[in-house]
Amino acid sequence: MESELCEICSKEPYSHSFKLLNTEYVYIYYTNIANAKKYNDVNGIISHYNLYLSKLPCDKKWVYIVDCHELSAKHLVCFEVAMALCKLINDKYNQSLIKIVILNPNMYIHMIYNMIWAFLTKEMADKVIYDYNFNTLNYWVNYNYDSN
């Protein structure tokens, strides 16, 4: 599916890290910033996300899981990507977004969040949850989002 949607990833796999994991009840999208070869490619990443999210059916809700495993100081340049993603999601996909789950949180994601928090709407900021229990990805993929 990635190569069908993202021209950059079809030429160079793993350039961006954003994929659809589940569509059973809600659409579950997943990213691991540290796994993306081009983690600071603002335009490419925005295009990649927009292509995926534009395929989201109008009647479906979605969850965005951000895995911070191996996120490090070199990824602090991602704040520009994070700001652009916030704008994209807020402008086009916020109404159907249920949660943004921060998986494996560390100090670097907190640093990025602190750089962008002023640009988040209250509605979007309220959807962000940090998983300090360090649950597995499978836990969040199968989580009952209807109960919240």
Side-chain angles (χ1 to χ4, degrees):
M1 185 173 183
E2 283 185 38
S3 62
E4 293 174 23
L5 293 174
C6 180
E7 188 176 321
I8 295 170
C9 287
S10 68
K11 292 177 182 172
E12 188 176 346
Y14 308 108
S15 292
H16 308 125
S17 173
F18 186 69
K19 60 187 174 183
L20 181 61
L21 296 182
N22 192 346
T23 62
E24 192 171 344
Y25 300 108
V26 298
Y27 276 48
I28 308 289
Y29 291 93
Y30 171 83
T31 189
N32 182 317
I33 300 164
N35 287 345
K37 289 180 184 176
K38 297 184 177 192
Y39 56 85
N40 60 347
D41 174 21
V42 178
N43 293 330
I45 291 170
I46 295 305
S47 176
H48 185 108
Y49 276 57
N50 194 38
L51 284 167
Y52 264 84
L53 291 171
S54 69
K55 305 295 184 197
L56 181 68
C58 295
D59 63 334
K60 286 289 191 174
K61 300 287 187 182
W62 68 290
V63 173
Y64 180 27
I65 299 174
V66 180
D67 191 343
C68 299
H69 179 70
E70 296 186 1
L71 190 68
S72 65
K74 76 177 187 177
H75 298 107
L76 291 177
V77 298
C78 292
F79 79 92
E80 290 178 359
V81 173
M83 287 181 58
L85 285 174
C86 288
K87 180 169 177 27
L88 173 72
I89 292 168
N90 192 58
D91 290 352
K92 295 175 82 173
Y93 305 106
N94 194 38
Q95 294 303 317
S96 57
L97 176 64
I98 298 172
K99 292 280 182 212
I100 299 172
V101 178
I102 307 297
L103 192 64
N104 300 308
N106 62 26
M107 70 179 192
Y108 300 108
I109 194 64
H110 287 288
M111 293 169 84
I112 292 169
Y113 187 82
N114 285 337
M115 287 186 256
I116 66 164
W117 75 269
F119 302 97
L120 295 177
T121 63
K122 179 176 178 357
E123 181 182 8
M124 187 181 292
D126 288 346
K127 294 177 182 182
V128 176
I129 57 171
Y130 288 89
D131 179 8
Y132 292 114
N133 292 325
F134 294 90
N135 291 299
T136 65
L137 174 60
N138 195 47
Y139 171 88
W140 290 106
V141 168
N142 295 302
Y143 185 80
N144 182 3
Y145 293 97
D146 291 332
S147 66
N148 285 340

